[in-house]
Amino acid sequence: MCAARIWIKNPLAVFLPDNLDGRGGLVIEGSRISEILRLGQTPSESCDSVVDARNHVVLPGLINAHHHFYQTLTRAWLPVVNQPLFPWLKTLYPVWARLTPEALHLASQVAMAELLQSGCTTVSDHHYLFPAGMEQSLDVQVEVVQQLGMRALLTRGSMNLGEEQGGLPPQQTIQDADTILQDSLRLIKQYHQRHEGAQIQIGLAPCSPFSVTTDLMREIARQAEQHDVRLHTHLGETLDEEAFCQQTFGMRTVDYLEHVGWLSNRTWLAHGIHFNDDEIKRLGAAGTGICHCPVSNMRLASGICPTVDLEAAGAPVGLGVDGSASNDASNLMYEARQALYLQRLRYGAEQITPQRVLRWATAGSARLLGRADIGELAVGKQADLALFKLDELRFSGSHDPLSALILCGAERADKVMVGGEWRVSDGEIIGLDAAELMVKHRAAAKALIAGL
Protein backbone atom coordinates (compact mmCIF):
# COMPACT_ATOMS: atom_id res chain seq x y z
CA MET A 1 0.00 0.00 0.00
CA CYS A 2 1.40 3.38 -1.04
CA ALA A 3 1.86 6.12 1.56
CA ALA A 4 -0.62 9.00 1.31
CA ARG A 5 0.66 12.14 -0.43
CA ILE A 6 -0.34 15.57 0.86
CA TRP A 7 0.42 18.86 -0.92
CA ILE A 8 0.76 21.88 1.40
CA LYS A 9 0.11 24.24 -1.49
CA ASN A 10 1.44 27.76 -2.13
CA PRO A 11 2.05 28.98 1.44
CA LEU A 12 2.16 32.66 2.27
CA ALA A 13 5.73 32.05 3.47
CA VAL A 14 7.83 29.04 4.43
CA PHE A 15 10.92 28.90 6.67
CA LEU A 16 13.54 26.91 4.78
CA PRO A 17 17.29 26.48 5.28
CA ASP A 18 19.62 28.53 3.08
CA ASN A 19 16.78 30.79 1.85
CA LEU A 20 15.53 28.18 -0.62
CA ASP A 21 12.43 28.92 -2.66
CA GLY A 22 9.52 26.90 -1.27
CA ARG A 23 6.69 29.13 -2.37
CA GLY A 24 5.09 26.26 -4.30
CA GLY A 25 4.76 24.36 -1.06
CA LEU A 26 5.70 20.99 0.37
CA VAL A 27 4.72 17.45 -0.55
CA ILE A 28 4.36 15.02 2.33
CA GLU A 29 4.57 11.32 1.60
CA GLY A 30 3.84 9.13 4.60
CA SER A 31 5.85 10.50 7.51
CA ARG A 32 8.45 12.41 5.48
CA ILE A 33 8.83 15.45 3.26
CA SER A 34 9.26 14.19 -0.31
CA GLU A 35 9.34 17.44 -2.31
CA ILE A 36 9.90 21.16 -1.82
CA LEU A 37 8.36 23.14 -4.66
CA ARG A 38 9.46 26.44 -6.14
CA LEU A 39 6.94 29.14 -7.02
CA GLY A 40 4.81 27.84 -9.89
CA GLN A 41 6.08 24.28 -9.57
CA THR A 42 3.62 21.39 -9.06
CA PRO A 43 4.15 17.96 -7.48
CA SER A 44 5.86 15.29 -9.58
CA GLU A 45 3.00 12.87 -8.90
CA SER A 46 -0.68 13.25 -8.04
CA CYS A 47 -1.52 13.86 -4.37
CA ASP A 48 -4.27 12.34 -2.27
CA SER A 49 -5.13 15.64 -0.64
CA VAL A 50 -4.27 19.31 -1.04
CA VAL A 51 -4.10 21.89 1.76
CA ASP A 52 -4.55 25.44 0.50
CA ALA A 53 -1.88 27.27 2.51
CA ARG A 54 -2.15 30.69 0.84
CA ASN A 55 -2.96 32.23 4.25
CA HIS A 56 -0.42 30.22 6.25
CA VAL A 57 3.19 30.70 7.26
CA VAL A 58 4.82 27.27 7.43
CA LEU A 59 7.56 26.49 9.95
CA PRO A 60 9.33 23.29 10.88
CA GLY A 61 7.72 21.88 14.02
CA LEU A 62 9.25 23.76 16.94
CA ILE A 63 11.41 21.80 19.40
CA ASN A 64 11.38 22.52 23.12
CA ALA A 65 14.71 21.41 24.58
CA HIS A 66 14.07 21.94 28.31
CA HIS A 67 10.97 21.74 30.48
CA HIS A 68 9.55 20.46 33.78
CA PHE A 69 5.98 19.37 33.01
CA TYR A 70 4.95 18.87 36.64
CA GLN A 71 5.42 22.57 37.35
CA THR A 72 2.22 23.52 35.52
CA LEU A 73 0.59 22.72 38.88
CA THR A 74 2.38 25.60 40.65
CA ARG A 75 2.12 28.47 38.19
CA ALA A 76 1.89 32.00 39.59
CA TRP A 77 1.93 30.79 43.22
CA LEU A 78 2.15 33.95 45.31
CA PRO A 79 4.88 32.88 47.83
CA VAL A 80 7.43 32.46 45.01
CA VAL A 81 6.36 35.18 42.58
CA ASN A 82 9.23 37.48 43.59
CA GLN A 83 11.95 34.99 44.57
CA PRO A 84 15.24 34.17 42.80
CA LEU A 85 16.23 30.56 42.09
CA PHE A 86 17.55 29.15 45.39
CA PRO A 87 14.80 30.54 47.68
CA TRP A 88 12.26 29.74 44.94
CA LEU A 89 13.37 26.10 44.91
CA LYS A 90 13.46 25.74 48.70
CA THR A 91 9.93 27.13 48.98
CA LEU A 92 8.56 24.87 46.24
CA TYR A 93 10.32 21.58 47.05
CA PRO A 94 7.87 20.68 49.88
CA VAL A 95 4.95 21.37 47.54
CA TRP A 96 6.37 19.26 44.73
CA ALA A 97 7.16 16.45 47.18
CA ARG A 98 3.38 15.88 47.40
CA LEU A 99 3.10 15.09 43.69
CA THR A 100 0.99 12.06 42.71
CA PRO A 101 0.99 10.02 39.47
CA GLU A 102 -2.50 11.33 38.65
CA ALA A 103 -1.40 14.94 39.13
CA LEU A 104 1.72 14.37 37.02
CA HIS A 105 -0.41 12.89 34.23
CA LEU A 106 -2.62 15.98 34.18
CA ALA A 107 0.35 18.34 34.46
CA SER A 108 2.08 16.62 31.54
CA GLN A 109 -1.06 16.78 29.43
CA VAL A 110 -1.43 20.51 30.05
CA ALA A 111 2.24 21.27 29.36
CA MET A 112 2.36 19.24 26.16
CA ALA A 113 -1.01 20.47 24.92
CA GLU A 114 0.03 24.09 25.40
CA LEU A 115 3.30 23.42 23.58
CA LEU A 116 1.53 21.61 20.74
CA GLN A 117 -0.85 24.51 20.22
CA SER A 118 2.14 26.85 20.01
CA GLY A 119 3.50 24.84 17.06
CA CYS A 120 5.83 22.59 19.04
CA THR A 121 6.08 19.00 17.80
CA THR A 122 9.00 17.65 19.87
CA VAL A 123 9.56 18.17 23.59
CA SER A 124 12.20 17.32 26.14
CA ASP A 125 11.15 17.09 29.75
CA HIS A 126 13.52 16.99 32.72
CA HIS A 127 11.76 15.10 35.50
CA TYR A 128 13.91 14.72 38.61
CA LEU A 129 11.29 14.40 41.40
CA PHE A 130 10.71 10.84 42.62
CA PRO A 131 9.21 11.00 46.13
CA ALA A 132 7.50 7.87 47.48
CA GLY A 133 4.81 6.70 45.07
CA MET A 134 6.33 8.49 42.05
CA GLU A 135 8.72 5.76 40.93
CA GLN A 136 6.89 5.37 37.59
CA SER A 137 6.94 9.05 36.69
CA LEU A 138 8.48 8.67 33.23
CA ASP A 139 6.10 5.82 32.42
CA VAL A 140 3.26 8.27 33.12
CA GLN A 141 4.82 10.79 30.74
CA VAL A 142 5.31 8.18 28.00
CA GLU A 143 1.56 7.54 28.09
CA VAL A 144 0.83 11.25 27.56
CA VAL A 145 3.30 11.51 24.67
CA GLN A 146 1.59 8.60 22.96
CA GLN A 147 -1.85 10.06 23.62
CA LEU A 148 -1.02 13.44 22.05
CA GLY A 149 1.06 12.03 19.20
CA MET A 150 4.08 14.28 19.77
CA ARG A 151 7.74 13.32 19.91
CA ALA A 152 9.67 13.45 23.18
CA LEU A 153 13.09 12.96 24.66
CA LEU A 154 12.17 12.28 28.27
CA THR A 155 15.13 12.67 30.59
CA ARG A 156 15.38 10.55 33.72
CA GLY A 157 16.38 13.20 36.24
CA SER A 158 17.77 12.50 39.67
CA MET A 159 18.65 14.02 43.02
CA ASN A 160 20.66 12.19 45.69
CA LEU A 161 22.27 15.09 47.55
CA GLY A 162 19.73 16.18 50.16
CA GLU A 163 19.86 18.86 52.83
CA GLU A 164 21.47 16.48 55.31
CA GLN A 165 24.37 15.93 52.89
CA GLY A 166 24.83 19.63 52.13
CA GLY A 167 22.54 19.82 49.10
CA LEU A 168 19.48 21.95 48.46
CA PRO A 169 16.52 19.52 48.19
CA PRO A 170 14.73 18.05 51.23
CA GLN A 171 15.36 14.38 52.04
CA GLN A 172 11.89 13.19 50.96
CA THR A 173 12.61 14.24 47.36
CA ILE A 174 15.88 12.32 46.83
CA GLN A 175 16.74 8.72 45.92
CA ASP A 176 19.85 6.59 46.44
CA ALA A 177 22.31 6.17 43.57
CA ASP A 178 21.62 2.46 42.97
CA THR A 179 17.89 3.08 42.56
CA ILE A 180 18.57 5.92 40.13
CA LEU A 181 21.01 3.90 38.00
CA GLN A 182 18.79 0.81 37.88
CA ASP A 183 15.71 2.78 36.88
CA SER A 184 17.68 4.69 34.26
CA LEU A 185 18.73 1.40 32.68
CA ARG A 186 15.16 0.09 32.81
CA LEU A 187 13.82 3.15 31.02
CA ILE A 188 16.47 3.04 28.30
CA LYS A 189 15.77 -0.63 27.60
CA GLN A 190 11.99 -0.24 27.73
CA TYR A 191 11.41 2.98 25.81
CA HIS A 192 14.43 4.39 23.96
CA GLN A 193 13.91 4.28 20.19
CA ARG A 194 16.91 4.64 17.90
CA HIS A 195 15.34 4.66 14.43
CA GLU A 196 14.63 7.72 12.26
CA GLY A 197 11.32 9.24 13.17
CA ALA A 198 11.54 7.96 16.76
CA GLN A 199 8.63 9.08 18.89
CA ILE A 200 10.11 8.42 22.33
CA GLN A 201 13.70 8.61 23.48
CA ILE A 202 15.30 8.59 26.92
CA GLY A 203 18.11 10.77 28.25
CA LEU A 204 19.88 10.84 31.62
CA ALA A 205 19.69 14.06 33.60
CA PRO A 206 21.02 14.50 37.14
CA CYS A 207 19.37 17.70 38.26
CA SER A 208 22.20 20.06 39.16
CA PRO A 209 25.54 20.34 41.00
CA PHE A 210 23.69 21.33 44.18
CA SER A 211 21.43 18.27 44.25
CA VAL A 212 23.57 15.37 42.96
CA THR A 213 26.81 13.81 44.24
CA THR A 214 30.01 13.81 42.21
CA ASP A 215 30.07 9.99 42.15
CA LEU A 216 26.57 9.82 40.68
CA MET A 217 27.44 12.39 37.99
CA ARG A 218 30.38 10.19 36.93
CA GLU A 219 28.33 6.98 36.97
CA ILE A 220 25.55 8.56 34.91
CA ALA A 221 28.12 9.75 32.34
CA ARG A 222 29.48 6.20 32.04
CA GLN A 223 25.97 4.77 31.73
CA ALA A 224 25.05 7.26 29.00
CA GLU A 225 28.16 6.44 27.00
CA GLN A 226 27.64 2.69 27.40
CA HIS A 227 24.04 2.88 26.15
CA ASP A 228 24.53 5.80 23.74
CA VAL A 229 21.95 8.21 25.13
CA ARG A 230 22.06 11.97 25.74
CA LEU A 231 23.15 13.72 28.95
CA HIS A 232 21.39 16.77 30.36
CA THR A 233 21.59 18.95 33.47
CA HIS A 234 21.22 22.53 34.71
CA LEU A 235 24.48 24.47 34.71
CA GLY A 236 25.63 28.07 34.89
CA GLU A 237 22.15 29.33 35.74
CA THR A 238 22.88 31.60 38.71
CA LEU A 239 25.76 33.12 40.64
CA ASP A 240 24.51 31.19 43.70
CA GLU A 241 25.22 27.97 41.81
CA GLU A 242 28.69 29.21 40.91
CA ALA A 243 29.39 30.01 44.55
CA PHE A 244 28.09 26.57 45.62
CA CYS A 245 30.49 24.83 43.22
CA GLN A 246 33.41 26.92 44.42
CA GLN A 247 32.64 26.22 48.07
CA THR A 248 31.71 22.53 47.71
CA PHE A 249 34.01 21.29 44.96
CA GLY A 250 36.69 23.97 44.88
CA MET A 251 36.13 24.66 41.19
CA ARG A 252 33.93 26.59 38.77
CA THR A 253 30.99 24.97 37.01
CA VAL A 254 32.71 24.10 33.71
CA ASP A 255 35.74 22.73 35.56
CA TYR A 256 33.32 20.57 37.52
CA LEU A 257 31.60 19.45 34.32
CA GLU A 258 34.93 18.27 32.93
CA HIS A 259 35.91 16.74 36.28
CA VAL A 260 32.89 14.40 36.20
CA GLY A 261 33.28 13.45 32.51
CA TRP A 262 30.45 15.54 31.10
CA LEU A 263 32.31 17.99 28.85
CA SER A 264 31.36 16.38 25.53
CA ASN A 265 29.01 16.58 22.55
CA ARG A 266 26.71 14.07 24.26
CA THR A 267 25.75 16.77 26.76
CA TRP A 268 23.40 19.71 26.58
CA LEU A 269 22.94 22.17 29.42
CA ALA A 270 19.95 24.20 30.52
CA HIS A 271 20.56 27.96 30.90
CA GLY A 272 24.33 28.38 30.49
CA ILE A 273 24.49 32.00 31.64
CA HIS A 274 27.52 32.48 33.89
CA PHE A 275 30.49 31.34 31.79
CA ASN A 276 33.70 33.30 31.25
CA ASP A 277 35.43 33.57 27.87
CA ASP A 278 37.69 30.58 28.45
CA GLU A 279 34.76 28.42 29.55
CA ILE A 280 32.79 29.38 26.45
CA LYS A 281 35.73 28.28 24.28
CA ARG A 282 35.96 24.95 26.12
CA LEU A 283 32.24 24.29 25.79
CA GLY A 284 32.40 25.09 22.08
CA ALA A 285 35.46 22.93 21.48
CA ALA A 286 33.69 20.01 23.17
CA GLY A 287 30.47 20.59 21.21
CA THR A 288 28.47 20.82 24.43
CA GLY A 289 25.05 22.32 23.72
CA ILE A 290 23.18 25.08 25.55
CA CYS A 291 19.42 25.44 25.88
CA HIS A 292 18.53 29.12 26.24
CA CYS A 293 15.47 29.68 28.47
CA PRO A 294 14.92 33.45 28.28
CA VAL A 295 11.61 33.83 30.11
CA SER A 296 12.74 31.77 33.10
CA ASN A 297 16.03 33.65 33.19
CA MET A 298 14.19 36.97 33.28
CA ARG A 299 11.49 35.73 35.70
CA LEU A 300 14.10 34.58 38.26
CA ALA A 301 16.50 37.46 37.45
CA SER A 302 19.24 34.94 36.68
CA GLY A 303 21.00 36.72 33.81
CA ILE A 304 21.39 36.57 30.01
CA CYS A 305 22.82 33.57 28.18
CA PRO A 306 25.82 34.48 25.91
CA THR A 307 24.24 32.76 22.89
CA VAL A 308 26.19 34.40 20.09
CA ASP A 309 29.54 33.81 21.80
CA LEU A 310 28.63 30.19 22.45
CA GLU A 311 27.63 29.62 18.83
CA ALA A 312 30.80 31.32 17.58
CA ALA A 313 32.83 28.97 19.77
CA GLY A 314 31.06 25.92 18.32
CA ALA A 315 28.42 25.18 20.94
CA PRO A 316 24.94 24.38 19.56
CA VAL A 317 22.20 26.66 20.93
CA GLY A 318 18.50 25.80 21.20
CA LEU A 319 15.43 27.08 23.04
CA GLY A 320 13.37 25.82 25.96
CA VAL A 321 10.45 27.14 27.98
CA ASP A 322 11.82 25.68 31.24
CA GLY A 323 9.42 24.84 34.06
CA SER A 324 5.97 26.34 34.11
CA ALA A 325 6.61 27.64 37.62
CA SER A 326 9.58 29.75 36.49
CA ASN A 327 7.97 30.77 33.22
CA ASP A 328 4.27 30.32 33.94
CA ALA A 329 3.77 29.41 30.28
CA SER A 330 4.61 26.49 27.98
CA ASN A 331 4.52 28.36 24.68
CA LEU A 332 7.56 28.11 22.43
CA MET A 333 6.52 30.91 20.06
CA TYR A 334 6.22 33.24 23.03
CA GLU A 335 9.65 32.01 24.15
CA ALA A 336 11.14 32.77 20.74
CA ARG A 337 9.86 36.34 20.85
CA GLN A 338 11.33 36.89 24.31
CA ALA A 339 14.63 35.37 23.14
CA LEU A 340 14.79 37.91 20.32
CA TYR A 341 14.33 40.88 22.62
CA LEU A 342 16.47 39.67 25.53
CA GLN A 343 19.37 38.75 23.25
CA ARG A 344 19.16 42.10 21.44
CA LEU A 345 19.91 43.76 24.76
CA ARG A 346 23.22 41.89 24.78
CA TYR A 347 24.14 41.69 21.10
CA GLY A 348 22.12 44.35 19.26
CA ALA A 349 19.41 44.18 16.61
CA GLU A 350 21.58 43.31 13.61
CA GLN A 351 22.87 40.01 15.03
CA ILE A 352 19.65 38.76 16.64
CA THR A 353 17.14 38.38 13.82
CA PRO A 354 13.77 36.60 13.76
CA GLN A 355 15.35 33.99 11.47
CA ARG A 356 18.15 33.30 13.95
CA VAL A 357 15.71 32.84 16.80
CA LEU A 358 13.55 30.51 14.70
CA ARG A 359 16.66 28.44 13.94
CA TRP A 360 17.33 28.14 17.67
CA ALA A 361 13.75 26.92 18.17
CA THR A 362 14.03 24.32 15.39
CA ALA A 363 17.37 23.11 14.00
CA GLY A 364 19.28 24.32 17.07
CA SER A 365 17.12 22.42 19.52
CA ALA A 366 17.23 19.35 17.25
CA ARG A 367 21.04 19.36 17.56
CA LEU A 368 20.76 19.54 21.35
CA LEU A 369 18.61 16.42 21.33
CA GLY A 370 21.00 14.65 18.96
CA ARG A 371 18.50 14.41 16.13
CA ALA A 372 19.17 14.93 12.41
CA ASP A 373 15.73 13.88 11.17
CA ILE A 374 13.74 16.85 12.52
CA GLY A 375 14.16 20.61 12.93
CA GLU A 376 14.25 21.60 9.24
CA LEU A 377 11.95 21.51 6.24
CA ALA A 378 14.03 19.46 3.80
CA VAL A 379 13.49 16.45 1.57
CA GLY A 380 13.82 13.26 3.59
CA LYS A 381 13.21 14.94 6.95
CA GLN A 382 10.26 14.03 9.12
CA ALA A 383 7.03 15.84 8.20
CA ASP A 384 6.76 17.89 11.39
CA LEU A 385 5.11 21.20 10.48
CA ALA A 386 3.47 24.17 12.17
CA LEU A 387 1.15 26.39 10.12
CA PHE A 388 0.28 29.87 11.39
CA LYS A 389 -2.29 32.35 10.15
CA LEU A 390 -1.79 36.12 10.30
CA ASP A 391 -5.50 36.97 10.46
CA GLU A 392 -5.66 38.42 13.98
CA LEU A 393 -5.74 42.12 14.80
CA ARG A 394 -2.17 41.96 16.13
CA PHE A 395 -0.87 41.21 12.60
CA SER A 396 -2.83 43.87 10.73
CA GLY A 397 -0.46 46.10 8.78
CA SER A 398 2.48 43.69 8.92
CA HIS A 399 4.48 43.14 5.73
CA ASP A 400 7.05 40.36 6.11
CA PRO A 401 5.20 37.19 7.21
CA LEU A 402 8.14 35.39 8.88
CA SER A 403 9.18 38.47 10.83
CA ALA A 404 5.56 39.13 11.78
CA LEU A 405 5.33 35.77 13.56
CA ILE A 406 7.96 36.91 16.05
CA LEU A 407 7.61 40.69 16.08
CA CYS A 408 3.80 40.76 16.24
CA GLY A 409 3.63 37.91 18.72
CA ALA A 410 2.17 34.76 17.16
CA GLU A 411 1.31 32.38 19.97
CA ARG A 412 -1.03 29.75 18.52
CA ALA A 413 -0.70 27.59 15.41
CA ASP A 414 -3.69 26.97 13.17
CA LYS A 415 -2.49 23.52 12.10
CA VAL A 416 0.24 21.21 13.38
CA MET A 417 1.49 18.00 11.78
CA VAL A 418 3.75 15.38 13.40
CA GLY A 419 5.20 12.68 11.18
CA GLY A 420 2.63 13.29 8.47
CA GLU A 421 -0.35 13.16 10.86
CA TRP A 422 -2.41 16.23 11.74
CA ARG A 423 -2.45 16.81 15.50
CA VAL A 424 -3.90 20.34 15.55
CA SER A 425 -6.64 21.64 13.26
CA ASP A 426 -8.23 25.10 13.46
CA GLY A 427 -6.14 25.76 16.54
CA GLU A 428 -7.57 22.83 18.52
CA ILE A 429 -5.86 19.57 19.43
CA ILE A 430 -7.55 16.67 17.69
CA GLY A 431 -9.10 14.23 20.14
CA LEU A 432 -8.45 16.28 23.31
CA ASP A 433 -11.22 17.76 25.46
CA ALA A 434 -9.31 20.81 26.66
CA ALA A 435 -12.16 22.11 28.83
CA GLU A 436 -12.41 18.85 30.76
CA LEU A 437 -8.62 18.71 31.12
CA MET A 438 -8.52 22.20 32.61
CA VAL A 439 -11.19 21.36 35.19
CA LYS A 440 -9.24 18.32 36.37
CA HIS A 441 -5.87 20.07 36.24
CA ARG A 442 -7.08 23.08 38.24
CA ALA A 443 -8.49 20.75 40.90
CA ALA A 444 -5.16 18.90 41.12
CA ALA A 445 -3.25 22.19 41.41
CA LYS A 446 -5.51 23.38 44.25
CA ALA A 447 -5.19 20.05 46.06
CA LEU A 448 -1.40 20.19 45.88
CA ILE A 449 -1.29 23.58 47.61
CA ALA A 450 -4.20 22.94 49.98
CA GLY A 451 -2.41 20.01 51.60
CA LEU A 452 0.46 22.13 52.90
Side-chain angles (χ1 to χ4, degrees):
M1 184 177 178
C2 294
R5 288 170 57 83
I6 303 170
W7 182 11
I8 312 294
K9 182 179 179 181
N10 298 343
L12 179 64
V14 57
F15 184 57
L16 291 169
D18 303 320
N19 297 313
L20 296 174
D21 181 3
R23 288 175 291 174
L26 310 172
V27 178
I28 311 304
E29 189 165 355
S31 66
R32 290 182 171 88
I33 299 169
S34 63
E35 295 181 73
I36 295 176
L37 307 174
R38 300 184 304 276
L39 181 64
Q41 189 179 6
T42 57
S44 60
E45 300 177 32
S46 62
C47 293
D48 300 282
S49 62
V50 177
V51 176
D52 183 353
R54 75 181 76 179
N55 296 318
H56 289 95
V57 181
V58 183
L59 303 182
L62 307 181
I63 300 171
N64 177 42
H66 182 67
H67 205 351
H68 307 291
F69 293 163
Y70 72 89
Q71 291 183 14
T72 61
L73 295 161
T74 50
R75 296 202 248 213
W77 187 44
L78 189 58
V80 296
V81 164
N82 301 313
Q83 290 184 331
L85 180 65
F86 273 25
W88 177 89
L89 280 170
K90 289 183 75 68
T91 306
L92 280 165
Y93 276 141
V95 181
W96 296 335
R98 303 182 65 255
L99 196 62
T100 65
E102 295 76 19
L104 176 61
H105 191 279
L106 292 166
S108 300
Q109 282 183 297
V110 165
M112 291 185 68
E114 188 179 358
L115 283 163
L116 186 56
Q117 287 185 317
S118 77
C120 181
T121 53
T122 300
V123 301
S124 182
D125 189 63
H126 185 184
H127 188 84
Y128 53 81
L129 272 172
F130 295 87
M134 293 300 298
E135 293 79 9
Q136 307 298 311
S137 290
L138 266 72
D139 304 82
V140 170
Q141 293 185 322
V142 166
E143 183 180 340
V144 178
V145 174
Q146 293 171 336
Q147 174 196 0
L148 291 178
M150 298 177 74
R151 304 186 197 277
L153 195 168
L154 302 172
T155 63
R156 205 298 182 182
S158 51
M159 299 193 296
N160 75 328
L161 188 70
E163 289 175 318
E164 294 177 6
Q165 294 84 31
L168 207 66
Q171 296 302 118
Q172 70 266 35
T173 63
I174 68 171
Q175 294 179 302
D176 65 83
D178 286 343
T179 298
I180 292 164
L181 291 166
Q182 289 172 16
D183 192 51
S184 297
L185 181 59
R186 174 187 73 85
L187 290 163
I188 293 168
K189 289 182 174 180
Q190 187 168 347
Y191 295 118
H192 186 69
Q193 300 173 349
R194 301 183 184 276
H195 56 79
E196 279 195 19
Q199 182 181 27
I200 296 171
Q201 295 187 317
I202 300 295
L204 303 182
C207 184
S208 62
F210 50 82
S211 59
V212 180
T213 62
T214 299
D215 287 344
L216 181 60
M217 289 288 287
R218 288 199 183 101
E219 285 300 319
I220 290 287
R222 282 194 281 267
Q223 191 176 48
E225 184 173 3
Q226 181 182 355
H227 298 284
D228 191 23
V229 296
R230 305 292 287 176
L231 285 169
H232 183 51
T233 193
H234 300 92
L235 200 78
E237 183 175 1
T238 66
L239 292 173
D240 284 343
E241 178 196 305
E242 185 67 57
F244 179 92
C245 284
Q246 292 272 25
Q247 294 164 10
T248 306
F249 309 118
M251 59 186 81
R252 288 174 58 85
T253 53
V254 175
D255 295 325
Y256 179 73
L257 200 70
E258 185 170 24
H259 180 65
V260 294
W262 277 60
L263 192 60
S264 77
N265 62 6
R266 187 182 301 281
T267 301
W268 89 99
L269 308 170
H271 304 296
I273 297 168
H274 299 288
F275 299 138
N276 61 32
D277 291 345
D278 177 66
E279 290 164 343
I280 289 171
K281 290 178 184 176
R282 290 163 63 194
L283 289 163
T288 301
I290 306 295
C291 181
H292 179 34
C293 303
V295 175
S296 175
N297 296 160
M298 289 186 280
R299 160 83 153 75
L300 297 174
S302 300
I304 304 176
C305 176
T307 55
V308 173
D309 297 286
L310 286 159
E311 283 194 310
V317 173
L319 280 188
V321 301
D322 200 12
S324 292
S326 67
N327 181 329
D328 307 288
S330 302
N331 187 309
L332 205 54
M333 283 300 291
Y334 174 74
E335 201 73 31
R337 188 176 194 226
Q338 298 307 306
L340 179 90
Y341 295 136
L342 180 62
Q343 289 298 317
R344 283 186 171 187
L345 289 177
R346 183 166 189 142
Y347 293 109
E350 293 180 349
Q351 289 200 71
I352 307 300
T353 64
Q355 289 77 13
R356 186 172 199 161
V357 170
L358 286 172
R359 281 196 297 272
W360 288 342
T362 53
S365 286
R367 287 188 66 191
L368 298 188
L369 304 191
R371 297 197 63 156
D373 58 341
I374 58 175
E376 288 184 335
L377 300 180
V379 172
K381 301 277 188 180
Q382 290 293 304
D384 294 2
L385 316 174
L387 282 66
F388 293 83
K389 283 186 173 181
L390 304 182
D391 58 355
E392 297 176 63
L393 194 61
R394 71 178 74 187
F395 300 111
S396 182
S398 62
H399 298 275
D400 178 63
L402 275 172
S403 297
L405 287 181
I406 303 297
L407 297 177
C408 301
E411 293 187 354
R412 188 160 180 159
D414 181 58
K415 298 180 183 295
V416 178
M417 172 183 282
V418 184
E421 299 286 339
W422 293 112
R423 300 299 180 186
V424 173
S425 180
D426 297 325
E428 301 297 332
I429 297 171
I430 296 169
L432 181 70
D433 187 334
E436 181 183 6
L437 173 59
M438 282 191 288
V439 169
K440 292 179 179 178
H441 181 261
R442 287 169 177 165
K446 288 179 181 178
L448 198 67
I449 299 299
L452 292 178

